[in-house]
Amino acid sequence: MYEFNEQTRALIELVRKIVSDHQTPLEARMLRGEKLTWAHYDPGREAARKAGLWGLRLPPEFGGMHLSLVDRLAMIEENSKCLAPIRFGGEVPHDMFHLQGEQKARYLDPFLQDAKRYSWALTEPGGGADPARAVSTCAKWDGESWIITGSKCWISFFDEADGVLVFARTGKRNDADDISMFAVERGNPGLIARSVPMLGGFTTHQLTFDNCRVDDVACIGAEGAGFKHAQKQLSKARFGVGAKALGIAQRCYDMMVEHAKQRVVFESALSDKQAIQSMIVDSWIEIQQQRLMVYACAEKDDRGKDTRVEASVIKMTCTEMVCRVIDRAIQIHGAAGCTYESPLAHWHDRQRMSRICEGPTEVHKYRMLARRLLA
């Protein structure tokens, strides 16, 4: 089993306390069928900020904690055990750290103050598994402004954001090196949004950019460097997906053990049945194996090593693992696990999407890993 150091254990306990005080009651409301908005999460978010849990990966000069990847993942894992986790603040896209002048005032400072929130728009209807080559949205400079034309799909949190960071081609090479990133505000007349309901109660959006005009300040970072920044975000995001899966799997495991001990069937507890014992043991082994891998790879990343391949493995194996554990937990709970009055049913729907988001399992396995191993 992986052992955290004293600092990491303290962070885990702090997260656990805030979740217990603020997020667990939200989970109960969700299980009663209430629809939660961003405002419901604000008290927990503010409690985290007062506790110093703000800008977890930001450098100190930006007011952040500059935590190691191991620490951040441990916090994500603990936080994800709740169906309504803390929404930590101060999460600034890496490429915004270097903004200066008007760009800093317009974008970085509001991010740091939690005065603005932007969603992320990379995926297009033409394909999400190979985003660089699938990007057909384009931005052209007409001498006065950038004109963005195209569409994006499956965009999360747009309904709660002040704008969107959109990736568009600014060159003619049709490769990853001619994609730039632009900030587009919600009220821009050239931005049209349509909501798309998804599994697990999520809502994503399809965005259409119809001759959407933005000024030169809205081009974040160097022209043509947008996808390189996106890759950095995606790699770390895949670690986060793995940690989230660990937290959910651990909660489901705890629930199945408790239920198996209490539930009496054919005059004995479920935990006495060999088939149930096998499901519980298999789940424990899988969780421990994945936890060891996630944090060993995070330690490697903290030492400055290239962990892109490891991030793919973590994303692929952890999302597959958590779906198996959820399924076993539902099976052990029976009909009680199939109702939306239980978090198991919610996680069943939500985590099905995790095997697709941030790159489908098959892409990570056969394109990224096989290509690397057979090179």
Side-chain angles (χ1 to χ4, degrees), residues 4 24 62 87 105 108 137 150-151 191 242 246-247 259 261 285 307 345:
F4 296 111
T24 301
F62 293 104
R87 294 183 175 181
L108 178 58
T137 297
S151 62
L191 173 57
L246 283 175
H259 184 78
K261 289 179 178 179
I285 291 173
T307 55

Side-chain angles (χ1 to χ4, degrees), residues 57-59 62 66 72 90-99 108 111 120 165 167 181 220-221 225-226 228-234 236:
R57 63 186 179 87
L58 282 180
F62 293 104
H66 198 52
R72 298 200 307 273
E91 294 301 305
V92 178
H94 185 272
D95 38 304
M96 286 193 175
F97 291 165
H98 308 294
L99 297 185
L108 178 58
F111 252 116
W120 179 277
L165 299 177
F167 294 82
M181 184 173 75
I220 307 296
K228 291 179 181 178
H229 293 305
Q231 285 180 309
K232 294 178 182 178
Q233 295 284 113
L234 288 171
K236 293 298 184 290

Side-chain angles (χ1 to χ4, degrees), residues 14 18 22 43-54 86-89:
L14 187 53
I18 296 172
H22 296 279
R45 189 179 177 89
E46 184 59 27
R49 183 170 192 166
K50 289 180 178 178
L53 303 182
W54 187 261
I86 306 165
R87 294 183 175 181
F88 293 107

Side-chain angles (χ1 to χ4, degrees), residues 61-253:
E61 58 266 31
F62 293 104
M65 298 185 71
H66 198 52
L67 293 177
S68 67
L69 183 58
V70 168
D71 283 345
R72 298 200 307 273
L73 295 183
M75 293 171 66
I76 291 172
E77 179 181 347
E78 184 62 34
N79 191 33
S80 299
K81 294 176 183 178
C82 180
L83 195 62
I86 306 165
R87 294 183 175 181
F88 293 107
E91 294 301 305
V92 178
H94 185 272
D95 38 304
M96 286 193 175
F97 291 165
H98 308 294
L99 297 185
Q100 300 293 328
E102 188 176 351
Q103 282 193 321
K104 179 178 182 295
R106 187 189 294 184
Y107 301 114
L108 178 58
D109 291 345
F111 252 116
L112 296 174
Q113 298 160 11
D114 202 34
K116 277 193 174 184
R117 298 163 181 159
Y118 287 82
S119 55
W120 179 277
L122 175 62
T123 306
E124 299 199 358
D130 186 14
R133 276 172 279 275
V135 171
S136 60
T137 297
C138 63
K140 296 182 178 180
W141 179 253
D142 71 351
E144 296 182 353
S145 59
W146 289 99
I147 304 175
I148 304 173
T149 305
S151 62
K152 301 288 182 178
C153 61
W154 320 128
I155 309 306
S156 303
F157 304 116
F158 178 77
D159 52 340
E160 298 171 333
D162 298 286
V164 60
L165 299 177
V166 57
F167 294 82
R169 292 200 180 279
T170 49
K172 298 181 180 180
R173 289 177 297 182
N174 200 37
D175 60 23
D177 293 328
D178 68 357
I179 297 175
S180 304
M181 184 173 75
F182 297 88
V184 179
E185 305 303 315
R186 172 183 285 278
N188 192 305
L191 173 57
I192 304 165
R194 180 179 73 87
S195 61
V196 182
M198 306 289 286
L199 274 174
F202 287 123
T203 297
T204 64
H205 285 78
Q206 180 172 339
L207 306 179
T208 300
F209 299 87
D210 184 9
N211 292 318
C212 179
R213 288 182 174 270
V214 297
D215 61 20
D216 200 30
V217 178
C219 183
I220 307 296
E223 184 180 340
F227 191 73
K228 291 179 181 178
H229 293 305
Q231 285 180 309
K232 294 178 182 178
Q233 295 284 113
L234 288 171
S235 181
K236 293 298 184 290
R238 287 164 182 157
F239 272 99
V241 169
K244 180 179 179 180
L246 283 175
I248 294 170
Q250 184 64 53
R251 172 83 183 278
C252 292
Y253 169 81

